[in-house]
Amino acid sequence: MREFSLPIARYRLTLRALTPIQFPAYAGSTWRGAFGHALRRTVCITREPDCRQCLLWRSCVYSQVFETPAGQGPLLEKINAAPHPYIMQPLATSGRQYAPGEVFALELSLLGAAIGHLPYLLHAMQQVGERGIGKGDGRYALVAVAQEVAPGAGEWVQIQAAGESLQALAGVVPLIPPMPEGVQVRLLTPLRLLQEGTPIRSSRFTFQLFINALMRRITLLHAYHAGVELPGDFKALSQQAAAVTLGDADLHWHEWSRYSNRQQNHVQMGGLLGSFMLGLDGLEDFWPWLWLGQWVHAGKGAVMGMGGYALDCYTGEKAI
């Protein structure tokens, strides 16, 4: 069975509203934008307006996390955009309003080398709370930070409380369990896949498109953020995936848009929600990718929490 070497760390930030806070229907873009601005203010020492013109571009915490430089190494030289090593989980705050004193949470995942930058990222999140977020720039305080002992373990331990030192755990490479007979794949947040620039809707969705996007993302995450080039005949795997059929597909398109400060315009970010069944007999080569994908997401907008999914394993007719 394929082994991966990308460590993952998942954190849960407990926040307390200091003023009224109102989040949009999908808060991932709001959190990402506020976090990026705060992180740049936190770590930038040259104040260059364009990061790419800065001498520190390839070593700066901001660029490594938020604008990962592309194009280094033989595997990466043809890549125009590198995957970023963080994922924000906005579901708990999306579409919500909080009154002063109310407590809420935001989950954050860090991948590979970015785990070592946690103190900078937490400081940036504190700065977001002081400057404000959402409609009306609502302010909050960071109350505590918890970390999951291992991805998917469900066991969380507090690693920092307000005013106390940070006691972070090491990141963990998820273990791949034995393959079940099949899985139901539940898309938890919009999955946005593109083919030649065109979004893939339910009528054109295939396992091949899904697994290709997943293998590409995981391979690039390893290369950029773990310094590892994963071996494998990906062309052969893709050809094998073309013959895989989905069962009980119940997928629908969910449209939403975000405002891009860079483009000064609203950008459509729709994707697929729903579920599909997948029998795994003969698909042993794909099982590790499917399992790991739960922690790194798939498709466009992963850093904003898009493309998140969960696997419900089953044996025969009985779910396990």
Side-chain angles (χ1 to χ4, degrees):
M1 178 178 290
R2 174 178 292 278
E3 293 185 0
F4 296 114
S5 53
L6 180 73
I8 298 174
R10 301 178 69 208
Y11 308 98
R12 182 176 294 152
L13 283 58
T14 300
L15 313 169
R16 178 181 292 114
L18 301 177
T19 65
I21 303 177
Q22 181 177 341
F23 289 100
Y26 191 79
S29 177
T30 300
W31 278 112
R32 176 185 180 273
F35 167 69
H37 288 302
L39 182 60
R40 196 175 196 277
R41 286 192 301 267
T42 294
V43 304
C44 180
I45 62 175
T46 66
R47 302 305 175 190
E48 285 278 359
D50 185 349
C51 290
R52 291 168 295 182
Q53 303 303 316
C54 178
L55 289 174
L56 305 178
W57 181 39
R58 293 191 180 275
S59 58
C60 172
V61 171
Y62 171 78
S63 60
Q64 288 297 312
V65 173
F66 201 79
E67 293 187 10
T68 309
Q72 289 185 306
L75 173 67
L76 312 175
E77 59 187 8
K78 296 182 180 180
I79 302 300
N80 295 322
H84 307 314
Y86 72 95
I87 300 167
M88 290 184 157
Q89 305 278 14
L91 283 181
T93 59
S94 292
R96 296 289 304 276
Q97 298 183 40
Y98 296 96
E102 284 193 89
V103 174
F104 58 102
L106 173 72
E107 292 189 8
L108 170 70
S109 297
L110 297 181
L111 314 174
I115 297 171
H117 301 321
L118 177 63
Y120 292 98
L121 309 189
L122 292 181
H123 180 73
M125 293 304 298
Q126 289 176 319
Q127 295 297 303
V128 172
E130 293 178 6
R131 288 178 173 263
I133 190 172
K135 187 176 181 179
D137 291 330
R139 294 184 293 111
Y140 65 79
L142 178 59
V143 177
V145 181
Q147 181 174 352
E148 192 174 25
V149 174
E155 179 184 353
W156 296 78
V157 295
Q158 183 169 294
I159 59 173
Q160 186 182 38
E164 297 183 3
S165 61
L166 177 65
Q167 303 292 329
L169 307 177
V172 176
V173 178
L175 295 176
I176 310 299
M179 188 181 74
E181 291 186 16
V183 291
Q184 181 187 47
V185 182
R186 290 186 291 113
L187 304 180
L188 305 176
T189 54
L191 171 66
R192 184 176 180 83
L193 302 179
L194 302 180
Q195 189 174 44
E196 297 181 352
T198 302
I200 300 300
R201 295 177 179 261
S202 57
S203 60
R204 297 175 56 208
F205 180 79
T206 64
F207 177 71
Q208 183 185 35
L209 289 171
F210 179 64
I211 201 68
N212 281 354
L214 203 54
M215 290 191 299
R216 175 183 172 85
R217 175 164 168 76
I218 291 173
T219 299
L220 291 178
L221 284 171
H222 273 78
Y224 275 106
H225 303 294
V228 175
E229 294 191 12
L230 295 178
D233 187 342
F234 297 108
K235 183 177 181 180
L237 284 173
S238 178
Q239 292 173 343
Q240 182 183 353
V244 177
T245 58
L246 307 179
D248 295 331
D250 182 15
L251 301 170
H252 63 275
W253 186 258
H254 176 79
E255 190 62 85
W256 73 283
S257 64
R258 66 179 180 89
Y259 186 79
S260 170
N261 287 321
R262 182 174 298 177
Q263 300 181 40
Q264 295 293 298
N265 196 10
H266 281 87
V267 179
Q268 295 303 119
M269 290 295 292
L272 292 170
L273 290 173
S275 65
F276 58 89
M277 306 295 288
L278 187 65
L280 295 177
D281 183 31
L283 302 185
E284 291 82 3
D285 289 339
F286 297 115
W287 172 240
W289 302 96
L290 285 168
W291 184 261
L292 182 61
Q294 294 177 102
W295 320 124
V296 303
H297 294 214
K300 299 293 184 179
V303 296
M304 297 182 287
M306 293 181 64
Y309 68 90
L311 300 179
D312 296 328
C313 304
Y314 68 85
T315 300
E317 298 297 324
K318 183 179 180 181
I320 58 173

